[in-house]
Amino acid sequence: MAYVNTLNHYLLPAINRSRDYLAICKIKVVLMLVITAWVGIALAPNMSRTWLQQVMSLVGIGALSASAAAINHVVDRNIDKQMARTRHRPVATERLSASHAVAFALILALLGTFTIVVFSNWLCAWFTLASLVGYAVIYTYYLKRATPQNIVIGGLAGAMPPLLGWLSETGALMAEPWLLVMIIFTWTPPHFWALAIARRNDYARANIPMLPVTHGVEFTKLCILVYTVLLTLVCVLPYLIGMSGGVYLGVACILNGMFLLKAFELYRNGTDLMAMSLFRFSIVHLLVLFVALFIDKWV
């Protein structure tokens, strides 16, 4: 019995601390970023790299993405305390100290950079580091607090993984992966603004100038609809340039048709529940769209 009590005394805190470190990595978000980077690798020209090199490149990209997420938790800790959605985050509740979170983020950044350099190339490493700075510093520290267009401008950093995957494979900048970046870049505003509509009171309380707070819900709904139309057009481009085939086109048309329908319903008489429904669907939309790109490559 004493052994069990001693084990629980040391083991349970360690498990809880590990969960807190995983929480500040935003594992679900990082997983989606890694999947889009993986599609970038799959669509890139065959460079005869081994599966180990490709997997380790994805590990490096994921580690740097997790580092950016951890820094986001530190920079936003005072904002997170004021928002119902984020007030239980480890750094906001001080279950993890800011200094420990920063040290953890630095270790992830170093390991991620080292992994990419060893298993991929310096160009991929530099672009991945630039994405980290873009998200963790430029967006989180400045744009998020400065302008209602924060998610539009800052969304570029989160749109980079397909390019990073392509770069890890080829070590060269080409036009094709930028189309994949454009898809995520145009997807980000309707995805995030739908959440912002449902959580606008939180953002107002935290004094964050999200579009529904500064320009109202109706204007935000219109912007979501406009960006969804733009997203539908951008999603056709990979097919038009021969980067993908009919499988991808068919899936993209179905997904974007559903996205447009939901955006129009939200614009016409949408509620906060509809906004959250659109937000959740947008996650499925992007994931299935990129999986379709991958499947189309091998059909």
Side-chain angles (χ1 to χ4, degrees), residues 130-163:
S131 299
L132 182 153
V133 173
Y135 176 75
V137 180
I138 298 175
Y139 166 70
T140 302
Y141 187 75
Y142 175 69
L143 289 174
K144 187 174 183 178
R145 295 158 170 79
T147 171
Q149 291 298 311
N150 46 25
I151 200 63
V152 176
I153 305 170
L156 182 60
M160 294 297 283
L163 175 64

Side-chain angles (χ1 to χ4, degrees), residues 155-290:
L156 182 60
M160 294 297 283
L163 175 64
L164 302 178
W166 187 291
L167 285 176
S168 73
E169 191 73 2
T170 66
L173 287 170
M174 301 177 186
E176 291 92 333
W178 288 104
L179 292 183
L180 305 181
V181 172
M182 285 178 62
I183 290 174
I184 303 178
F185 181 72
T186 53
W187 167 90
T188 300
H191 160 74
F192 203 89
W193 282 335
L195 175 66
I197 287 175
R199 299 289 185 261
R200 61 190 178 276
N201 293 332
D202 271 353
Y203 286 114
R205 184 163 51 248
N207 200 30
I208 299 297
M210 289 297 176
L211 197 63
V213 176
T214 60
H215 289 69
V217 172
E218 295 306 314
F219 180 75
T220 306
K221 290 178 181 178
L222 176 61
C223 289
I224 288 174
L225 182 59
V226 170
Y227 266 90
T228 305
V229 172
L230 180 61
L231 173 64
T232 301
L233 298 175
V234 170
C235 284
V236 178
L237 293 179
Y239 174 78
L240 293 180
I241 69 167
M243 188 178 179
S244 63
V247 172
Y248 165 76
L249 181 64
V251 173
C253 288
I254 293 172
L255 288 172
N256 286 308
M258 296 172 66
F259 208 143
L260 276 170
L261 180 61
K262 285 180 173 292
F264 181 73
E265 290 176 345
L266 178 64
Y267 172 71
R268 187 174 60 179
N269 54 8
T271 62
D272 288 356
L273 289 177
M274 283 187 178
M276 285 303 299
S277 175
L278 178 60
F279 169 75
R280 295 188 184 98
F281 172 76
S282 67
I283 298 173
V284 176
H285 169 279
L286 188 67
L287 181 61
V288 175
L289 190 74
F290 271 78

